[in-house]
Amino acid sequence: MQQLFDGIAPWGMCAYEKSLYLDRIDVAAAEVMVRHYPRRTSPLSVMPTMPLCGQFSALTDDDTAFGGSRAPGVVVNISGACPDPAGFAAEREWVRDFWTELRPFARAEQGYVNFMSDTGQEQVAQTYGAKYGRLRAVKATWDPANVFRHNANIPPGVS
């Protein structure tokens, strides 16, 4: 599963992505998807949409460090990828516009942290919810210098 997107995401690719959780894909959300997806300009831009159910939903929200609800639903990843830096601005705008129009159908200001680009601390904190403080304490113990910060970062907090 970790290598699923390797073919379209080689090292050095210009990429930008945003994600959100939906309880379901109803007709109105599907219409947004059908309208926006063809607007991408790079054939490497994708919209993987994955069901969240089964064992994923059998766990409680507090059972893992996962940021987001364990309620059944889907995660929609809008990923703009472009081999040519000159075309990157258009792909990034495609992702942002698509995400903005799909946002009213989402559960909250949360997204899957591995599908987030240029996130601010507020969105990361919202994604992790009540777990955020606990994760900051863990980070203070195991990475107090915040070496591992090149992601949807959780800064070290009080341990």
Side-chain angles (χ1 to χ4, degrees), residues 66-88:
F66 179 83
S69 171
R70 288 285 181 171
V74 293
V75 61
V76 178
N77 175 24
I78 306 166
S79 179
C82 187
D84 177 15
F88 179 61

Side-chain angles (χ1 to χ4, degrees), residues 43-121:
L44 300 177
S45 293
V46 295
M47 182 194 60
T49 303
M50 294 158 269
L52 303 173
C53 55
Q55 186 61 32
F56 173 87
S57 298
L59 301 171
T60 70
D61 289 349
D62 291 332
D63 285 337
T64 71
F66 179 83
S69 171
R70 288 285 181 171
V74 293
V75 61
V76 178
N77 175 24
I78 306 166
S79 179
C82 187
D84 177 15
F88 179 61
E91 289 308 289
R92 183 176 53 218
E93 194 63 29
W94 171 76
V95 171
R96 289 175 174 165
D97 290 348
F98 196 162
W99 184 89
T100 298
E101 193 163 339
L102 199 55
R103 174 67 190 91
F105 305 100
R107 292 181 180 164
E109 282 292 328
Q110 299 174 332
Y112 182 53
V113 294
N114 287 343
F115 298 153
M116 291 181 178
S117 296
D118 81 47
T119 54
Q121 283 309 125

Side-chain angles (χ1 to χ4, degrees), residues 121-135:
Q121 283 309 125
E122 185 176 324
Q123 186 178 17
V124 173
Q126 287 175 345
T127 294
Y128 283 106
K131 300 173 191 178
Y132 188 69
R134 189 176 68 202
L135 292 170

